[in-house]
Amino acid sequence: MAATLRDVTTYDLKLAAPLAAGFVLFFVTPLAILLALSFQTDPQGGHYGLTQYVNFLGDRFSLGVLGSTLWLGVKVTALTLLLGYPVAWLHQRSPGWARGLIMLLVLLPLLTSVVVRTFAWVVILGRQGIVNATLAWLGLIDTPLKLLYTDGGVVVALAQVQMPLMVLPIVTALGRIDPNFADASSVLGAGHWRTFRKVILPLSLPGIVAGCLLTYAAAITAFITQSLIGGGQMLFMPMYIYQQASTLQNWPFAAAISIVFLVSVLVVVSIFNALGRLSRGYANA
Amino acid sequence: MLLTRRNLMQTALTLGAMHAFPGLTWAQARPLVFATFTGSWEEAHRAVLVPAFRKATGNADMVLDPMLSVDQIAKVNAARSNPPIDVMLHDPGPALQAVAQDLVEPYPVEKSAYYKDLIPAAQVPMGPAPFFQVVGITYNPETVKTPPTSWADLWRPEFKGRVGITNLNSTLGTGFMVELAKMHGGSEANIDPAFKAIEALRPSLAAVAANPGQLATLFQQGQIDISPGNFNAIQILKARGVPVEFVIPKEGAIAFKTTIHIVKNSPNRELAFKLIEAALSPEVQATLMEEPYLIVPTNTKVAIKGELAKTLAKDHAEIAKKFVFQDWAKINEQRSAWIERFNREIRV
């Protein structure tokens, strides 16, 4: 009998064919072209070799740009997690109407474009911006502080711009935790802090990992925010690629640094994924 | 005719595809595509040039597809045999690149009614210049009491932490560096003195903008008080009530000819020629010279009037004297090396 029943737990792979075809056509193919381009030794084409990669990897300055971009992602992710987790936690602990309000506040930034949000930060961080005006009014400073075009400015602006990407997965993860666990923990004598550290935090780790992954990827590739808040004296990978491809028309080098960037990001992503797997084991233990 | 389900489906799909990819129906005859620049250029061209073109051609179809020079080159390069653009607009650096990459056709000079009336600097056989862009000193008159008179004023101690510049990605940034080099004994071939001068300017720098458009925001926010600036960009800011003034330094204004080109293999060659003719005509140039566009004309038949005569030059003879044109063929040879060097030296 059982053999004649259709297995409803698996789906026909053919259903995924349109998406797969689109994926191959619009993602895999360009990526292959990009890879081929990166092996050209000069913009005019003709010769192939590893020149572009040697140029990038043998150059202190280029490696510095890559390093500072990856490090920027770490700082932004850390700050977003630090500020985002309490928001998600508050959302979980609030009554129904407040939940809606918090969710609206979290989602609100997503409803305006990144350019608008970034320009708002230009206004906030400028010499006559809100921060400097407030500090001057309180008499704490005489001359305006330089906030725009600083590393700190970029990190803060990116953290705000990418905040929803961190909060939403954590909200979902926290929502899946059975509230009885926390009660059980406190019945067994654990305080709030211990309950949080030993029960809530480990169980929400999958959400944290997903949020960090999204925030990190979005932060290091945020061309607009990086260049508007960072200015011309800070160079990150997206601007470096744009400059080589667009201004200098040096497509092979631009392709090579794109590939190097992609591989570095993949490495970071696999680290996050490994952490994610670990955390699942931890949560189920 | 029998309407089968299959038949109906086919028709629907075809119509749907034509709707989704309008390019399909343009395969034979598409309207003339003019890649102008974004922002105020697009507004000016839409308001003045397009109507003039329609009038001259009996309402021929055309579209504006505004994009940066570098993007125009990339797009035409990607489809040389069937280019998606018919007429390109370029700053001097990219114009030479487009010519070198064999993307443009020579302008049919002998057919043109207006070419011979252009000032000599605008007569470029591979694509004439319908207007100039002018770079001088921009300052905030509320904080800068004595108007600057020379590029050297940017180094004055009272502007410590108040100066804005842009990086070399833009024509403005590169042209400014060449001007600095010339002031300190260098040239298009010897940029070293400019880098030394920028090093000395470092304590004064409040911002190195990633593009010239950002300088406008910085003036608005009071982040900077003085910077090199594009005359037309400043007029737009001024019109919006931002306290900015533009002066030509005594060394002369850095001038760029913006050239207009017929794309090689364009299916609309004849219309492209007519559009360029319209852009060179004294009528169009005279209208574009007025408020709010204030675009510097290149046709000597256009008498210079209004704000232009007040701030820039009262006639074409004075333009020839006050405008400094740079050798972009020389600049292009080394520009990528300069950008690399600027990246490295200016990085904090």
Side-chain angles (χ1 to χ4, degrees), chain B residues 28-55:
Chain B
Q28 261 72 46
R30 61 167 169 78
L32 181 80
V33 179
F34 173 33
T36 174
F37 296 156
T38 47
S40 55
W41 303 113
E42 183 197 355
E43 283 167 37
H45 285 149
R46 193 178 296 288
V48 180
L49 182 57
V50 173
F53 168 79
R54 293 241 157 92
K55 214 173 122 199

PDB file of all heavy atoms in Angstrom, chain B residues 28-55:
ATOM      1  N   GLN B  28      14.321  47.205 -35.827  1.00  0.00           N
ATOM      2  CA  GLN B  28      14.435  47.851 -37.128  1.00  0.00           C
ATOM      3  C   GLN B  28      14.690  49.351 -36.979  1.00  0.00           C
ATOM      4  O   GLN B  28      15.659  49.872 -37.458  1.00  0.00           O
ATOM      5  CB  GLN B  28      13.164  47.615 -37.949  1.00  0.00           C
ATOM      6  CG  GLN B  28      13.313  46.480 -38.945  1.00  0.00           C
ATOM      7  CD  GLN B  28      13.350  45.139 -38.241  1.00  0.00           C
ATOM      8  OE1 GLN B  28      12.539  44.887 -37.355  1.00  0.00           O
ATOM      9  NE2 GLN B  28      14.290  44.288 -38.592  1.00  0.00           N
ATOM     10  N   ALA B  29      13.752  50.030 -36.336  1.00  0.00           N
ATOM     11  CA  ALA B  29      13.880  51.475 -36.237  1.00  0.00           C
ATOM     12  C   ALA B  29      13.611  51.917 -34.810  1.00  0.00           C
ATOM     13  O   ALA B  29      12.486  51.856 -34.344  1.00  0.00           O
ATOM     14  CB  ALA B  29      12.887  52.139 -37.188  1.00  0.00           C
ATOM     15  N   ARG B  30      14.664  52.308 -34.125  1.00  0.00           N
ATOM     16  CA  ARG B  30      14.440  52.819 -32.783  1.00  0.00           C
ATOM     17  C   ARG B  30      14.627  54.324 -32.818  1.00  0.00           C
ATOM     18  O   ARG B  30      15.282  54.852 -33.726  1.00  0.00           O
ATOM     19  CB  ARG B  30      15.395  52.165 -31.799  1.00  0.00           C
ATOM     20  CG  ARG B  30      16.857  52.399 -32.081  1.00  0.00           C
ATOM     21  CD  ARG B  30      17.663  51.983 -30.858  1.00  0.00           C
ATOM     22  NE  ARG B  30      19.088  51.925 -31.134  1.00  0.00           N
ATOM     23  CZ  ARG B  30      19.874  52.979 -31.204  1.00  0.00           C
ATOM     24  NH1 ARG B  30      19.361  54.181 -31.069  1.00  0.00           N
ATOM     25  NH2 ARG B  30      21.168  52.849 -31.441  1.00  0.00           N
ATOM     26  N   PRO B  31      14.065  55.025 -31.840  1.00  0.00           N
ATOM     27  CA  PRO B  31      14.244  56.472 -31.838  1.00  0.00           C
ATOM     28  C   PRO B  31      15.706  56.831 -31.591  1.00  0.00           C
ATOM     29  O   PRO B  31      16.488  56.003 -31.128  1.00  0.00           O
ATOM     30  CB  PRO B  31      13.363  56.946 -30.686  1.00  0.00           C
ATOM     31  CG  PRO B  31      13.136  55.751 -29.852  1.00  0.00           C
ATOM     32  CD  PRO B  31      13.260  54.558 -30.721  1.00  0.00           C
ATOM     33  N   LEU B  32      16.048  58.049 -31.895  1.00  0.00           N
ATOM     34  CA  LEU B  32      17.398  58.528 -31.647  1.00  0.00           C
ATOM     35  C   LEU B  32      17.643  58.553 -30.137  1.00  0.00           C
ATOM     36  O   LEU B  32      16.818  59.049 -29.381  1.00  0.00           O
ATOM     37  CB  LEU B  32      17.540  59.951 -32.202  1.00  0.00           C
ATOM     38  CG  LEU B  32      18.922  60.576 -32.020  1.00  0.00           C
ATOM     39  CD1 LEU B  32      19.865  60.062 -33.078  1.00  0.00           C
ATOM     40  CD2 LEU B  32      18.836  62.087 -32.070  1.00  0.00           C
ATOM     41  N   VAL B  33      18.777  58.002 -29.718  1.00  0.00           N
ATOM     42  CA  VAL B  33      19.093  57.979 -28.286  1.00  0.00           C
ATOM     43  C   VAL B  33      20.275  58.904 -28.024  1.00  0.00           C
ATOM     44  O   VAL B  33      21.353  58.731 -28.591  1.00  0.00           O
ATOM     45  CB  VAL B  33      19.424  56.560 -27.802  1.00  0.00           C
ATOM     46  CG1 VAL B  33      19.771  56.575 -26.323  1.00  0.00           C
ATOM     47  CG2 VAL B  33      18.254  55.622 -28.058  1.00  0.00           C
ATOM     48  N   PHE B  34      20.046  59.883 -27.172  1.00  0.00           N
ATOM     49  CA  PHE B  34      21.094  60.845 -26.820  1.00  0.00           C
ATOM     50  C   PHE B  34      21.455  60.649 -25.354  1.00  0.00           C
ATOM     51  O   PHE B  34      20.636  60.846 -24.477  1.00  0.00           O
ATOM     52  CB  PHE B  34      20.584  62.273 -27.068  1.00  0.00           C
ATOM     53  CG  PHE B  34      21.520  63.363 -26.586  1.00  0.00           C
ATOM     54  CD1 PHE B  34      22.904  63.207 -26.612  1.00  0.00           C
ATOM     55  CD2 PHE B  34      21.013  64.564 -26.113  1.00  0.00           C
ATOM     56  CE1 PHE B  34      23.757  64.216 -26.168  1.00  0.00           C
ATOM     57  CE2 PHE B  34      21.853  65.581 -25.672  1.00  0.00           C
ATOM     58  CZ  PHE B  34      23.222  65.400 -25.700  1.00  0.00           C
ATOM     59  N   ALA B  35      22.713  60.229 -25.116  1.00  0.00           N
ATOM     60  CA  ALA B  35      23.171  60.026 -23.742  1.00  0.00           C
ATOM     61  C   ALA B  35      23.736  61.339 -23.231  1.00  0.00           C
ATOM     62  O   ALA B  35      24.909  61.627 -23.402  1.00  0.00           O
ATOM     63  CB  ALA B  35      24.227  58.936 -23.709  1.00  0.00           C
ATOM     64  N   THR B  36      22.889  62.149 -22.624  1.00  0.00           N
ATOM     65  CA  THR B  36      23.377  63.393 -22.044  1.00  0.00           C
ATOM     66  C   THR B  36      23.896  63.101 -20.640  1.00  0.00           C
ATOM     67  O   THR B  36      23.960  61.949 -20.227  1.00  0.00           O
ATOM     68  CB  THR B  36      22.259  64.454 -22.023  1.00  0.00           C
ATOM     69  OG1 THR B  36      22.717  65.597 -21.344  1.00  0.00           O
ATOM     70  CG2 THR B  36      21.023  63.923 -21.349  1.00  0.00           C
ATOM     71  N   PHE B  37      24.301  64.125 -19.907  1.00  0.00           N
ATOM     72  CA  PHE B  37      24.718  63.921 -18.521  1.00  0.00           C
ATOM     73  C   PHE B  37      23.496  64.010 -17.619  1.00  0.00           C
ATOM     74  O   PHE B  37      22.472  64.578 -18.004  1.00  0.00           O
ATOM     75  CB  PHE B  37      25.728  64.986 -18.078  1.00  0.00           C
ATOM     76  CG  PHE B  37      27.024  64.933 -18.827  1.00  0.00           C
ATOM     77  CD1 PHE B  37      27.812  66.055 -18.920  1.00  0.00           C
ATOM     78  CD2 PHE B  37      27.463  63.766 -19.425  1.00  0.00           C
ATOM     79  CE1 PHE B  37      29.023  66.025 -19.602  1.00  0.00           C
ATOM     80  CE2 PHE B  37      28.666  63.728 -20.116  1.00  0.00           C
ATOM     81  CZ  PHE B  37      29.450  64.864 -20.199  1.00  0.00           C
ATOM     82  N   THR B  38      23.634  63.487 -16.418  1.00  0.00           N
ATOM     83  CA  THR B  38      22.517  63.516 -15.470  1.00  0.00           C
ATOM     84  C   THR B  38      22.373  64.905 -14.847  1.00  0.00           C
ATOM     85  O   THR B  38      23.254  65.746 -14.993  1.00  0.00           O
ATOM     86  CB  THR B  38      22.757  62.495 -14.346  1.00  0.00           C
ATOM     87  OG1 THR B  38      24.091  62.666 -13.893  1.00  0.00           O
ATOM     88  CG2 THR B  38      22.583  61.091 -14.841  1.00  0.00           C
ATOM     89  N   GLY B  39      21.282  65.112 -14.169  1.00  0.00           N
ATOM     90  CA  GLY B  39      21.092  66.337 -13.397  1.00  0.00           C
ATOM     91  C   GLY B  39      20.710  67.531 -14.247  1.00  0.00           C
ATOM     92  O   GLY B  39      19.871  67.427 -15.131  1.00  0.00           O
ATOM     93  N   SER B  40      21.392  68.663 -13.994  1.00  0.00           N
ATOM     94  CA  SER B  40      20.975  69.904 -14.638  1.00  0.00           C
ATOM     95  C   SER B  40      21.152  69.861 -16.148  1.00  0.00           C
ATOM     96  O   SER B  40      20.399  70.492 -16.886  1.00  0.00           O
ATOM     97  CB  SER B  40      21.756  71.070 -14.056  1.00  0.00           C
ATOM     98  OG  SER B  40      23.133  70.830 -14.175  1.00  0.00           O
ATOM     99  N   TRP B  41      22.140  69.095 -16.646  1.00  0.00           N
ATOM    100  CA  TRP B  41      22.324  68.980 -18.092  1.00  0.00           C
ATOM    101  C   TRP B  41      21.104  68.352 -18.728  1.00  0.00           C
ATOM    102  O   TRP B  41      20.622  68.789 -19.771  1.00  0.00           O
ATOM    103  CB  TRP B  41      23.559  68.141 -18.420  1.00  0.00           C
ATOM    104  CG  TRP B  41      24.805  68.676 -17.811  1.00  0.00           C
ATOM    105  CD1 TRP B  41      25.538  68.086 -16.827  1.00  0.00           C
ATOM    106  CD2 TRP B  41      25.452  69.914 -18.109  1.00  0.00           C
ATOM    107  NE1 TRP B  41      26.604  68.884 -16.506  1.00  0.00           N
ATOM    108  CE2 TRP B  41      26.578  70.002 -17.272  1.00  0.00           C
ATOM    109  CE3 TRP B  41      25.180  70.942 -18.999  1.00  0.00           C
ATOM    110  CZ2 TRP B  41      27.440  71.091 -17.288  1.00  0.00           C
ATOM    111  CZ3 TRP B  41      26.050  72.029 -19.018  1.00  0.00           C
ATOM    112  CH2 TRP B  41      27.155  72.093 -18.173  1.00  0.00           C
ATOM    113  N   GLU B  42      20.615  67.295 -18.086  1.00  0.00           N
ATOM    114  CA  GLU B  42      19.439  66.616 -18.611  1.00  0.00           C
ATOM    115  C   GLU B  42      18.253  67.587 -18.667  1.00  0.00           C
ATOM    116  O   GLU B  42      17.559  67.674 -19.676  1.00  0.00           O
ATOM    117  CB  GLU B  42      19.092  65.408 -17.754  1.00  0.00           C
ATOM    118  CG  GLU B  42      17.922  64.630 -18.302  1.00  0.00           C
ATOM    119  CD  GLU B  42      17.301  63.693 -17.279  1.00  0.00           C
ATOM    120  OE1 GLU B  42      17.832  63.579 -16.159  1.00  0.00           O
ATOM    121  OE2 GLU B  42      16.267  63.087 -17.611  1.00  0.00           O
ATOM    122  N   GLU B  43      18.058  68.327 -17.559  1.00  0.00           N
ATOM    123  CA  GLU B  43      16.939  69.285 -17.512  1.00  0.00           C
ATOM    124  C   GLU B  43      17.057  70.292 -18.650  1.00  0.00           C
ATOM    125  O   GLU B  43      16.092  70.569 -19.361  1.00  0.00           O
ATOM    126  CB  GLU B  43      16.945  70.043 -16.184  1.00  0.00           C
ATOM    127  CG  GLU B  43      16.401  69.248 -15.014  1.00  0.00           C
ATOM    128  CD  GLU B  43      16.739  69.923 -13.689  1.00  0.00           C
ATOM    129  OE1 GLU B  43      16.708  71.173 -13.642  1.00  0.00           O
ATOM    130  OE2 GLU B  43      17.052  69.203 -12.724  1.00  0.00           O
ATOM    131  N   ALA B  44      18.271  70.852 -18.816  1.00  0.00           N
ATOM    132  CA  ALA B  44      18.481  71.868 -19.841  1.00  0.00           C
ATOM    133  C   ALA B  44      18.229  71.290 -21.235  1.00  0.00           C
ATOM    134  O   ALA B  44      17.569  71.912 -22.066  1.00  0.00           O
ATOM    135  CB  ALA B  44      19.896  72.414 -19.742  1.00  0.00           C
ATOM    136  N   HIS B  45      18.733  70.094 -21.468  1.00  0.00           N
ATOM    137  CA  HIS B  45      18.581  69.506 -22.797  1.00  0.00           C
ATOM    138  C   HIS B  45      17.136  69.124 -23.082  1.00  0.00           C
ATOM    139  O   HIS B  45      16.653  69.265 -24.197  1.00  0.00           O
ATOM    140  CB  HIS B  45      19.514  68.305 -22.950  1.00  0.00           C
ATOM    141  CG  HIS B  45      20.937  68.733 -23.138  1.00  0.00           C
ATOM    142  ND1 HIS B  45      22.006  68.012 -22.704  1.00  0.00           N
ATOM    143  CD2 HIS B  45      21.451  69.855 -23.702  1.00  0.00           C
ATOM    144  CE1 HIS B  45      23.130  68.651 -23.000  1.00  0.00           C
ATOM    145  NE2 HIS B  45      22.800  69.773 -23.596  1.00  0.00           N
ATOM    146  N   ARG B  46      16.453  68.640 -22.058  1.00  0.00           N
ATOM    147  CA  ARG B  46      15.058  68.264 -22.243  1.00  0.00           C
ATOM    148  C   ARG B  46      14.220  69.505 -22.573  1.00  0.00           C
ATOM    149  O   ARG B  46      13.340  69.475 -23.429  1.00  0.00           O
ATOM    150  CB  ARG B  46      14.521  67.586 -20.979  1.00  0.00           C
ATOM    151  CG  ARG B  46      13.186  66.889 -21.182  1.00  0.00           C
ATOM    152  CD  ARG B  46      12.709  66.188 -19.919  1.00  0.00           C
ATOM    153  NE  ARG B  46      13.580  65.109 -19.483  1.00  0.00           N
ATOM    154  CZ  ARG B  46      13.692  63.932 -20.096  1.00  0.00           C
ATOM    155  NH1 ARG B  46      12.996  63.698 -21.188  1.00  0.00           N
ATOM    156  NH2 ARG B  46      14.499  63.002 -19.645  1.00  0.00           N
ATOM    157  N   ALA B  47      14.540  70.590 -21.904  1.00  0.00           N
ATOM    158  CA  ALA B  47      13.715  71.790 -22.052  1.00  0.00           C
ATOM    159  C   ALA B  47      14.025  72.573 -23.329  1.00  0.00           C
ATOM    160  O   ALA B  47      13.131  73.201 -23.899  1.00  0.00           O
ATOM    161  CB  ALA B  47      13.896  72.689 -20.827  1.00  0.00           C
ATOM    162  N   VAL B  48      15.283  72.564 -23.777  1.00  0.00           N
ATOM    163  CA  VAL B  48      15.658  73.445 -24.884  1.00  0.00           C
ATOM    164  C   VAL B  48      16.086  72.678 -26.139  1.00  0.00           C
ATOM    165  O   VAL B  48      15.584  72.929 -27.234  1.00  0.00           O
ATOM    166  CB  VAL B  48      16.796  74.395 -24.442  1.00  0.00           C
ATOM    167  CG1 VAL B  48      17.188  75.306 -25.589  1.00  0.00           C
ATOM    168  CG2 VAL B  48      16.377  75.189 -23.221  1.00  0.00           C
ATOM    169  N   LEU B  49      17.002  71.717 -25.958  1.00  0.00           N
ATOM    170  CA  LEU B  49      17.565  71.045 -27.128  1.00  0.00           C
ATOM    171  C   LEU B  49      16.553  70.120 -27.810  1.00  0.00           C
ATOM    172  O   LEU B  49      16.412  70.121 -29.037  1.00  0.00           O
ATOM    173  CB  LEU B  49      18.826  70.266 -26.714  1.00  0.00           C
ATOM    174  CG  LEU B  49      19.556  69.539 -27.836  1.00  0.00           C
ATOM    175  CD1 LEU B  49      19.957  70.490 -28.935  1.00  0.00           C
ATOM    176  CD2 LEU B  49      20.793  68.820 -27.287  1.00  0.00           C
ATOM    177  N   VAL B  50      15.833  69.336 -27.003  1.00  0.00           N
ATOM    178  CA  VAL B  50      14.892  68.374 -27.588  1.00  0.00           C
ATOM    179  C   VAL B  50      13.805  69.075 -28.420  1.00  0.00           C
ATOM    180  O   VAL B  50      13.567  68.678 -29.570  1.00  0.00           O
ATOM    181  CB  VAL B  50      14.285  67.456 -26.491  1.00  0.00           C
ATOM    182  CG1 VAL B  50      13.191  66.575 -27.061  1.00  0.00           C
ATOM    183  CG2 VAL B  50      15.382  66.605 -25.872  1.00  0.00           C
ATOM    184  N   PRO B  51      13.158  70.141 -27.900  1.00  0.00           N
ATOM    185  CA  PRO B  51      12.173  70.838 -28.733  1.00  0.00           C
ATOM    186  C   PRO B  51      12.774  71.390 -30.032  1.00  0.00           C
ATOM    187  O   PRO B  51      12.133  71.305 -31.088  1.00  0.00           O
ATOM    188  CB  PRO B  51      11.688  71.973 -27.838  1.00  0.00           C
ATOM    189  CG  PRO B  51      11.980  71.533 -26.452  1.00  0.00           C
ATOM    190  CD  PRO B  51      13.205  70.678 -26.537  1.00  0.00           C
ATOM    191  N   ALA B  52      13.988  71.910 -29.958  1.00  0.00           N
ATOM    192  CA  ALA B  52      14.637  72.454 -31.159  1.00  0.00           C
ATOM    193  C   ALA B  52      14.873  71.359 -32.188  1.00  0.00           C
ATOM    194  O   ALA B  52      14.674  71.547 -33.385  1.00  0.00           O
ATOM    195  CB  ALA B  52      15.955  73.122 -30.785  1.00  0.00           C
ATOM    196  N   PHE B  53      15.281  70.185 -31.694  1.00  0.00           N
ATOM    197  CA  PHE B  53      15.513  69.035 -32.570  1.00  0.00           C
ATOM    198  C   PHE B  53      14.205  68.583 -33.225  1.00  0.00           C
ATOM    199  O   PHE B  53      14.135  68.334 -34.419  1.00  0.00           O
ATOM    200  CB  PHE B  53      16.124  67.893 -31.745  1.00  0.00           C
ATOM    201  CG  PHE B  53      16.148  66.567 -32.443  1.00  0.00           C
ATOM    202  CD1 PHE B  53      17.118  66.280 -33.389  1.00  0.00           C
ATOM    203  CD2 PHE B  53      15.194  65.589 -32.145  1.00  0.00           C
ATOM    204  CE1 PHE B  53      17.141  65.050 -34.023  1.00  0.00           C
ATOM    205  CE2 PHE B  53      15.218  64.362 -32.779  1.00  0.00           C
ATOM    206  CZ  PHE B  53      16.191  64.098 -33.719  1.00  0.00           C
ATOM    207  N   ARG B  54      13.135  68.516 -32.409  1.00  0.00           N
ATOM    208  CA  ARG B  54      11.831  68.095 -32.942  1.00  0.00           C
ATOM    209  C   ARG B  54      11.392  69.035 -34.042  1.00  0.00           C
ATOM    210  O   ARG B  54      10.876  68.625 -35.071  1.00  0.00           O
ATOM    211  CB  ARG B  54      10.787  68.093 -31.810  1.00  0.00           C
ATOM    212  CG  ARG B  54      11.056  67.049 -30.766  1.00  0.00           C
ATOM    213  CD  ARG B  54       9.906  66.045 -30.654  1.00  0.00           C
ATOM    214  NE  ARG B  54      10.372  64.790 -30.090  1.00  0.00           N
ATOM    215  CZ  ARG B  54      10.340  64.509 -28.786  1.00  0.00           C
ATOM    216  NH1 ARG B  54       9.837  65.378 -27.929  1.00  0.00           N
ATOM    217  NH2 ARG B  54      10.786  63.344 -28.351  1.00  0.00           N
ATOM    218  N   LYS B  55      11.614  70.343 -33.820  1.00  0.00           N
ATOM    219  CA  LYS B  55      11.189  71.346 -34.792  1.00  0.00           C
ATOM    220  C   LYS B  55      11.987  71.186 -36.097  1.00  0.00           C
ATOM    221  O   LYS B  55      11.426  71.240 -37.191  1.00  0.00           O
ATOM    222  CB  LYS B  55      11.408  72.749 -34.209  1.00  0.00           C
ATOM    223  CG  LYS B  55      10.362  73.761 -34.655  1.00  0.00           C
ATOM    224  CD  LYS B  55      10.532  75.072 -33.914  1.00  0.00           C
ATOM    225  CE  LYS B  55      10.747  76.201 -34.891  1.00  0.00           C
ATOM    226  NZ  LYS B  55      11.342  77.383 -34.256  1.00  0.00           N
TER     227      LYS B  55
END
